[in-house]
């Protein structure tokens, strides 16, 4: 239930947004603006939802009533409808012209690297009309075997001593690895520590020549220095090894280093370092600590900001180290980009996050994790180089404030990515393209020139773009002072008369002092009504209609407009008609006050050829279902209708058994498109399904259920085979009859036996009762003697008499 309510709310929101979109796009800002000249009209541009541009029809109508400004500054299609000839319409558009377009190179090896082209085109010009867009395409390719200049900038503070020992033979090994990537490789070397001034370094007299004086772990080191350029870029890698082996570490007081001073000098001192214009520039920055940033110099009283210039003395040392503050991140990024230098931060693991944040603020930089002793420096440089060469990112230089740029990248997969100016995961030799859209937002003073440059990060190649503006109308050059078209009392320019003081009218034909109430009456549609219907001004006996942000106001008395007609859901004349003087003139096939009602009935025909499936009527091109429970575009769905089972039965017969009235294949496939699911056992416990049964020709029963899915699809679930009853077996019937008779006989005998047993038990009980009473009576009667007792005594006496008497004697 909640999901249904959420879907309903979402549909309502989308419907509201659609209405808002339609109402906004229906506004014509050309006619609703306040343009009083051709140039002002051209400066009006449509809102983003409407890509059309305002145009000007500059000739003044020679006969009849003069047109207002609304009819001259309008959309091109409206001006054509009003009868303006195409060659009288001013509608300049933005355009681009390619001036230099050398093809992209495929390789960059010597000696052709001076002519290597990695961006195309190289020069173009734009002609911009404010509010109008133009676009051009830029292609970029990372060529193979491109020359590489690598400058290794190393932290020589005391904590980097083990790293210095590791790189003493770096030049040879690095050159061997880089030869796998380029045949033209040069290597240079420089070092840094920090500003030799308190509180950054040890400045006491005893530390002047040896800052490590008294330090037991390493008692000897060289004095601190800001930056020292040691070896200019060279292809003689043995020189690199020699110079590195001469170096000794130094010692500074605080943990941060002066590395950003060194980076800036390495970037801007191009001649000293030896950067080649035609090479790929890599600056490797190796350190094990954080750098000092701008404003840190104030701790030593250095308040002068860095000027971004080269300050190397005759000893190739940074001479302004103790005079200027550290450079800012913004200045650093600007100078690196200006000199096409890729910066690689090679830092220890604990510093990775800090320097990773720097890469987000300094374009063209990457960060790699350096081992504590720099053992992985060669693989680090190779990985960073491959990572850099796998990306292409465009930057814009000298971007004018009055233009906007938007980019769409098309990378190696060929899919356009709006809003992106970067491609990654590239291979050397891949070509990527960028679509650049440019829009001007205003007109600079005449004679002003604009330009900007598009450059891939780290490339020497660039695209230079020059800009001109189209803010003037061609008809302005035909301006006539004291023109006869303006009754010789005004200036005619682009179809408009600018009247001299004291004259009125579209052609300046009416002196201002001749206006009277009698002449003003000619601007009333009838007595008692407002002048010009309250929507215009009476000027020289004619109504000059006001402009409206909703549309056009016109007519002899400004009584008509093209926006006061009936609407349907906020759309004027339902979008199926034109509004003329307050009434909708419907397009063919539509009727009604708001042109909403369609006269077409084709959409109401069901698949079986019946209008609304016989369950409704066709109203305005749509079915209105009258049968309770019916729904669907043609009322074709109705599980509860009396004929629902009968209608679906025909589809079951023809689809499953190829029988019935629709057995013809074409008819069955055309009319029966519902999904049919066959099952072994039919479940009838679904409350949303209707159980249908029918008897087949073979006296079997076919069962199926009919339901409507939430998506609107009809689903029929049917048994695979009809249910049929089997004939009874004769022997089984005989045995059943005999068994039944025997069972009944046994039951009767058991019942008879039970009755006899109960009767005998009752008789026995009465006998026992009578016997008990008889014993009581004999025992209680004194006259009664038991025979057996008397007889026994007498017999005993007679039998033993003799012996008894003899015993006495």
């Amino acid at each position: 239930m909640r999901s249904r309510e959420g879907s309903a709310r979402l549909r309502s929101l989308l419907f509201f947004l659609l209405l808002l979109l339609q109402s906004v796009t229906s506004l014509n800002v050309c006619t609703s603006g306040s343009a009083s000249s051709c140039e002002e009209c051209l400066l009006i541009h449509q809102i983003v939802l409407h890509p059309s541009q305002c145009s000007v029809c500059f000739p003044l109508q020679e006969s009849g009533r003069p047109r207002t400004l609304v009819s001259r500054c309008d959309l091109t299609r409206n001006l054509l409808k009003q009868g303006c000839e195409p060659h009288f319409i001013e509608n300049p558009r933005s355009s681009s012209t390619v001036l230099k377009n050398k093809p992209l190179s495929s390789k960059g090896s010597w000696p052709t690297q001076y002519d290597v082209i990695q961006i195309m085109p190289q020069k173009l010009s734009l002609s911009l009309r404010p509010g109008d867009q133009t676009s051009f395409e830029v292609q970029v390719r990372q060529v193979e075997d491109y020359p590489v200049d690598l400058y290794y900038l190393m932290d020589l503070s005391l904590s980097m001593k083990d790293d210095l020992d590791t790189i003493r033979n770096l030049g040879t090994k690095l050159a061997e690895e880089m030869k796998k990537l380029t045949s033209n490789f040069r290597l240079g070397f420089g070092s840094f520590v920090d500003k030799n001034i308190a509180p950054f370094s040890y400045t006491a007299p005893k530390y002047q020549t040896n800052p490590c004086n008294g330090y037991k772990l390493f008692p000897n080191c060289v004095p601190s220095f800001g930056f020292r350029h040691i070896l200019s870029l060279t292809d003689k890698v043995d020189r690199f090894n020699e110079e590195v082996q001469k170096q000794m570490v130094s010692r500074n007081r605080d943990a941060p280093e002066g590395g950003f001073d060194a980076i800036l000098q390495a970037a801007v001192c191009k001649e000293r370092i030896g950067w080649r214009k035609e090479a790929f520039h890599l600056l490797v920055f190796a350190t094990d600590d954080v750098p000092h940033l701008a404003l840190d110099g104030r701790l030593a009283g250095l308040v002068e900001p860095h000027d971004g210039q080269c300050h190397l003395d005759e000893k190739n040392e940074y001479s302004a180290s103790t005079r200027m503050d550290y450079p800012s991140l913004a200045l650093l990024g600007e100078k690196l980009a200006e000199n096409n230098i890729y910066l690689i931060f090679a830092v220890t693991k604990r510093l990775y996050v800090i320097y990773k944040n720097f890469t987000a603020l300094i374009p063209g930089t990457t960060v790699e994790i350096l081992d504590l002793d720099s053992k992985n420096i060669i693989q680090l440089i190779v990985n960073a180089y491959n990572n850099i060469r796998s990306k292409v990112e465009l930057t814009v230089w000298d971007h004018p404030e009055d233009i906007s740029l938007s980019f769409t990248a098309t990378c190696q997969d060929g899919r356009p990515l709006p809003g992106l100016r970067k491609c990654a995961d590239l291979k050397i030799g891949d070509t990527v393209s960028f679509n650049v859209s440019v829009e001007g937002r205003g007109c600079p003073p005449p004679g002003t020139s604009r330009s900007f440059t598009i450059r891939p990060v780290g490339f020497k190649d660039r695209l230079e773009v020059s800009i001109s503006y189209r803010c003037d109308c061609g008809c302005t050059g035909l301006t006539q002072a004291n023109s006869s078209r303006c009754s010789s009392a005004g200036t005619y320019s682009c179809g408009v008369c600018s009247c001299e003081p004291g004259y009125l009218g579209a052609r300046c034909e009416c002196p201002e002092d001749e206006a009277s109430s009698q002449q003003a009456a000619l601007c009333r549609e009838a007595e008692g009504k407002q002048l010009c219907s309250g929507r215009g001004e009476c000027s020289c006996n004619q109504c000059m209609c006001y402009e409206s942000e909703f549309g056009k106001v016109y007519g002899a008395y400004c009584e008509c407009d093209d926006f006061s007609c009936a609407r349907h859901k906020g759309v004027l004349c339902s979008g199926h008609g034109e509004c003329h003087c307050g009434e909708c003139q419907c397009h063919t096939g539509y009727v009604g006050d708001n042109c909403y009602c369609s006269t077409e009935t084709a959409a109401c025909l069901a698949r079986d050829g019946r209008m609304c499936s016989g369950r409704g009527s066709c109203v305005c091109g749509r079915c209105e279902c009258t049968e309770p429970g019916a729904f669907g575009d043609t009322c074709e769905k109705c599980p509860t209708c009396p004929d629902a089972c009968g209608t679906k039965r025909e589809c079951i017969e023809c689809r499953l058994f190829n029988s019935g009235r629709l057995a013809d294949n074409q008819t069955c496939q055309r009319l029966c498109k519902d999904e049919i699911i066959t099952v072994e056992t039919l479940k009838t416990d679904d409350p949303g399904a209707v159980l249908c049964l029918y008897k087949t020709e073979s006296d079997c029963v076919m069962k199926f259920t009919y339901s409507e899915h939430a998506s609107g699809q009809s689903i029929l679930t049917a048994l695979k085979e009809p249910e049929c009853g089997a004939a009874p077996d004769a022997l089984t019937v005989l045995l059943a009859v005999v068994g039944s008779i025997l069972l009944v006989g046994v039951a009767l005998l058991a019942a008879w036996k039970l009755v006899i047993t109960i009767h005998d038990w009752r008789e026995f009980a009465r006998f026992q009762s009578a016997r008990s009473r008889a014993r009581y009576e004999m025992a209680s009667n004194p006259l009664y003697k038991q025979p057996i007792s008397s007889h026994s005594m007498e017999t005993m006496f007679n039998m033993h008499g003799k012996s008894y008497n003899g015993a006495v004697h």
Side-chain angles (χ1 to χ4, degrees):
M1 180 62 73
R2 291 183 179 177
S3 62
R4 291 182 180 178
E5 292 177 354
S7 300
R9 292 175 182 173
L10 179 59
R11 287 194 297 269
S12 300
L13 177 60
L14 292 176
F15 179 70
F16 173 75
L17 291 177
L18 180 60
L19 291 182
L20 179 61
L21 176 64
Q22 291 175 338
S23 62
V24 170
T25 54
S26 64
L27 293 178
N28 185 345
V29 297
C30 298
T31 59
S32 62
S34 57
S36 59
S37 66
C38 180
E39 285 76 14
E40 290 182 4
C41 180
L42 295 184
L43 285 175
I44 300 173
H45 60 276
Q46 295 286 16
I47 56 178
V48 177
L49 298 175
H50 203 307
S52 302
Q53 299 291 322
C54 298
S55 303
V56 177
C57 181
F58 59 82
L60 187 66
Q61 187 173 344
E62 299 295 338
S63 61
R65 288 186 176 273
R67 296 177 181 175
T68 63
L69 181 63
V70 175
S71 63
R72 287 192 297 272
C73 183
D74 205 336
L75 300 176
T76 300
R77 62 175 182 271
N78 294 341
L79 293 176
L80 293 174
K81 288 180 181 179
Q82 295 169 9
C84 185
E85 297 181 19
H87 59 277
F88 286 142
I89 295 178
E90 290 271 358
N91 185 24
R93 306 306 300 268
S94 297
S95 62
S96 62
T97 304
V98 176
L99 303 178
K100 186 177 179 181
N101 194 30
K102 291 184 178 181
L104 296 171
S105 304
S106 58
K107 299 193 70 175
S109 59
W110 180 269
T112 60
Q113 67 265 27
Y114 294 100
D115 299 322
V116 170
I117 305 297
Q118 297 184 99
I119 186 171
M120 185 178 73
Q122 296 82 43
K123 285 186 179 182
L124 60 83
S125 64
L126 301 177
S127 178
L128 298 181
R129 173 187 171 179
D132 187 26
Q133 281 191 352
T134 187
S135 61
F136 56 88
E137 186 176 89
V138 180
Q139 291 186 334
V140 182
R141 177 188 296 166
Q142 295 257 29
V143 300
E144 299 178 11
D145 197 20
Y146 198 71
V148 176
D149 287 347
L150 188 149
Y151 192 78
Y152 193 86
L153 185 58
M154 184 175 182
D155 178 3
L156 284 187
S157 59
L158 189 58
S159 58
M160 292 288 286
K161 182 181 182 301
D162 54 346
D163 301 78
L164 180 60
D165 296 335
T166 301
I167 70 164
R168 294 193 185 278
N169 295 314
L170 173 66
T172 304
K173 298 177 182 178
L174 182 59
E176 292 175 356
E177 289 297 324
M178 293 302 294
K179 282 182 180 179
K180 300 176 183 179
L181 305 174
T182 177
S183 61
N184 194 341
F185 175 68
R186 298 202 308 176
L187 186 62
F189 182 70
S191 62
F192 66 92
V193 181
D194 205 348
K195 296 180 182 296
N196 192 14
I197 187 174
F200 308 124
S201 298
Y202 293 94
T203 58
K206 67 175 182 178
Y207 297 123
Q208 289 295 321
T209 58
N210 182 14
C212 296
N213 188 7
Y215 186 63
K216 296 182 180 180
L217 295 178
F218 194 78
N220 295 309
C221 58
V222 299
S224 299
F225 56 91
F227 164 65
R228 181 177 294 156
H229 169 53
I230 300 171
L231 178 66
S232 298
L233 292 164
T234 178
D235 55 0
K236 297 178 176 58
V237 294
D238 292 339
R239 286 284 316 281
F240 181 91
N241 297 336
E242 293 174 3
E243 294 297 334
V244 172
Q245 290 173 2
K246 297 177 184 177
Q247 304 307 309
M248 293 182 63
V249 294
S250 181
R251 184 188 182 196
N252 59 319
R253 182 183 292 272
D254 61 349
E257 319 291 6
F260 279 8
D261 269 341
I263 292 174
L264 185 62
Q265 293 303 298
V268 299
C269 299
K270 297 180 287 187
E271 290 76 14
R272 295 286 189 94
I273 303 298
W275 297 115
R276 292 176 293 177
K277 183 178 180 181
E278 68 279 2
F280 194 82
H281 302 160
L282 292 179
L283 177 58
V284 179
F285 178 81
T287 185
D288 65 348
D289 222 317
V290 296
H292 276 297
L293 304 176
L295 302 182
D296 284 356
R298 296 192 176 191
L299 295 173
L302 305 178
V303 296
E304 181 181 351
H306 204 293
D307 59 5
Q309 302 299 316
C310 178
H311 295 281
L312 291 184
D313 59 18
E314 63 278 359
K315 295 181 180 180
N316 283 332
E317 290 192 7
Y318 178 38
S319 60
S321 177
T322 58
R323 180 166 55 86
M324 288 190 297
D325 192 9
Y326 299 97
S328 65
L329 292 174
L331 179 62
L332 206 60
E334 177 185 341
K335 294 303 178 181
L336 289 171
E338 184 179 306
N339 295 282
N340 306 318
I341 295 175
Y342 274 107
L343 176 61
I344 302 173
F345 288 123
V347 299
T348 53
K349 186 175 182 180
R350 70 182 181 88
L351 304 175
Y352 179 83
V353 175
I354 297 175
Y355 281 88
K356 185 66 175 177
N357 292 334
F358 288 154
T359 64
L361 302 172
I362 307 176
T365 59
T366 59
V367 59
E368 299 288 341
I369 296 178
L370 181 69
D371 288 347
L372 293 177
D373 56 359
S374 296
K375 287 183 179 179
N376 68 328
I377 186 63
I378 294 179
Q379 190 59 44
L380 181 152
I381 293 173
V382 172
N383 291 343
Y385 175 79
N386 290 330
N387 184 36
I388 292 170
R389 293 299 303 273
S390 69
K391 300 175 183 177
V392 170
E393 181 177 3
L394 298 186
T395 58
V396 180
W397 289 75
D398 303 322
H399 185 181
E401 294 182 357
D402 58 353
I403 69 168
S404 60
L405 298 175
S406 60
F407 292 81
T408 298
T410 303
C411 302
Q412 65 274 24
D413 58 0
R415 293 187 302 168
L417 303 171
L420 293 183
R421 58 172 77 179
K422 179 180 179 180
C423 287
D425 300 326
L426 303 177
K427 297 179 181 178
I428 301 299
D430 284 349
T431 302
V432 295
S433 63
F434 301 87
N435 183 273
V436 185
S437 295
V438 187
E439 180 181 349
R441 294 193 292 265
C443 286
T448 304
S449 61
R450 295 278 193 273
S451 64
F452 63 91
T453 302
I454 294 178
R455 291 167 50 183
V457 175
F459 284 50
K460 70 178 181 65
D461 307 76
R462 66 187 64 194
L463 167 60
E464 298 176 356
V465 183
S466 58
I467 305 172
S468 61
Y469 294 84
R470 306 193 67 178
C471 298
D472 298 327
C473 294
C475 60
T476 305
L478 304 176
T479 299
Q480 299 175 0
N482 298 321
S483 173
S484 59
R485 295 184 177 183
C486 302
S487 306
S488 298
T491 300
Y492 178 81
S493 178
C494 295
V496 179
C497 282
S498 298
C499 301
E500 296 178 0
Y503 290 88
L504 301 173
R507 297 178 184 157
C508 307
E509 71 277 17
C510 184
E512 192 172 3
D513 56 1
E514 292 182 4
S516 66
S517 60
Q518 183 179 359
Q519 292 172 335
L522 299 176
C523 295
R524 299 180 191 273
E525 187 175 7
E527 186 66 30
K529 289 195 174 182
Q530 290 181 305
L531 286 174
C532 300
S533 304
R535 302 199 293 181
E537 291 182 357
C538 183
S539 176
C540 207
N541 305 330
Q542 294 180 347
C543 285
M544 301 296 291
C545 302
Y546 296 140
E547 297 166 2
S548 173
E549 63 180 359
F550 301 107
K552 178 181 176 182
V553 178
Y554 61 97
Y557 306 102
C558 302
E559 74 278 9
C560 294
D561 61 59
D562 60 359
F563 54 83
S564 295
C565 294
R567 299 171 182 263
H568 177 70
K569 294 183 179 180
V571 180
L572 190 67
C573 297
S574 305
H576 302 306
E578 303 292 338
C579 183
H580 291 281
C581 206
E583 293 184 359
C584 287
Q585 294 184 1
C586 302
H587 297 158
T588 303
Y590 292 91
V591 295
D593 293 340
N594 57 9
C595 301
Y596 173 70
C597 191
S598 173
T599 59
E600 294 290 332
T601 59
C604 296
L605 288 176
R607 287 198 295 254
D608 58 4
R610 294 185 297 169
M611 190 68 67
C612 298
S613 305
R615 299 178 181 135
S617 56
C618 188
V619 179
C620 292
R622 294 184 178 181
C623 284
E624 291 187 357
C625 304
T626 56
E627 182 76 23
F631 63 98
D633 293 340
T634 58
C635 306
E636 74 280 6
K637 303 179 185 302
C638 186
T640 59
C641 290
D643 60 341
C645 288
T647 302
K648 301 303 179 182
R649 166 188 172 177
E650 296 177 342
C651 293
I652 293 290
E653 290 179 333
C654 76
R655 289 275 297 277
L656 296 185
F657 307 110
N658 196 27
S659 62
R661 184 177 67 86
L662 304 178
D664 174 52
N665 287 334
Q666 294 183 353
T667 304
C668 184
Q669 295 299 325
R670 178 172 57 85
L671 298 181
C672 299
K673 297 182 179 180
D674 298 335
E675 181 182 3
I676 299 179
I677 302 173
T678 56
V679 295
E680 295 287 349
T681 303
L682 189 65
K683 296 181 180 180
T684 60
D685 56 352
D686 185 1
V690 177
L691 177 63
C692 300
L693 303 92
Y694 69 89
K695 193 173 184 181
T696 64
E697 296 178 354
S698 56
D699 291 334
C700 298
V701 176
M702 184 60 189
K703 297 180 180 180
F704 66 93
T705 60
Y706 167 33
S707 62
E708 293 290 341
H709 194 265
S711 63
Q713 182 182 13
S714 298
I715 299 178
L716 303 177
T717 305
L719 292 173
K720 287 186 176 181
E721 297 293 338
E723 294 180 349
C724 301
D729 182 65
L731 180 61
T732 302
V733 173
L734 178 62
L735 292 176
V737 172
V738 172
S740 299
I741 295 174
L742 291 176
L743 182 61
V744 171
V746 171
L748 292 175
L749 288 174
W752 177 79
K753 180 63 176 176
L754 179 61
V755 171
I756 295 300
T757 300
I758 292 173
H759 179 269
D760 290 347
W761 181 80
R762 289 178 177 176
E763 290 297 324
F764 178 75
R766 284 198 292 270
F767 169 75
Q768 289 291 343
S769 177
R771 184 178 180 183
S772 297
R773 288 194 301 272
R775 287 178 179 174
Y776 174 77
E777 291 174 356
M778 287 186 294
S780 60
N781 188 353
L783 299 179
Y784 180 78
K785 299 294 184 180
Q786 290 185 358
I788 187 171
S789 300
S790 175
H791 177 270
S792 297
M793 295 296 297
E794 184 179 357
T795 301
M796 292 176 64
F797 180 77
N798 291 331
M799 290 177 63
H800 300 286
K802 286 184 177 183
S803 57
Y804 176 77
N805 293 327
V808 171
H809 292 287

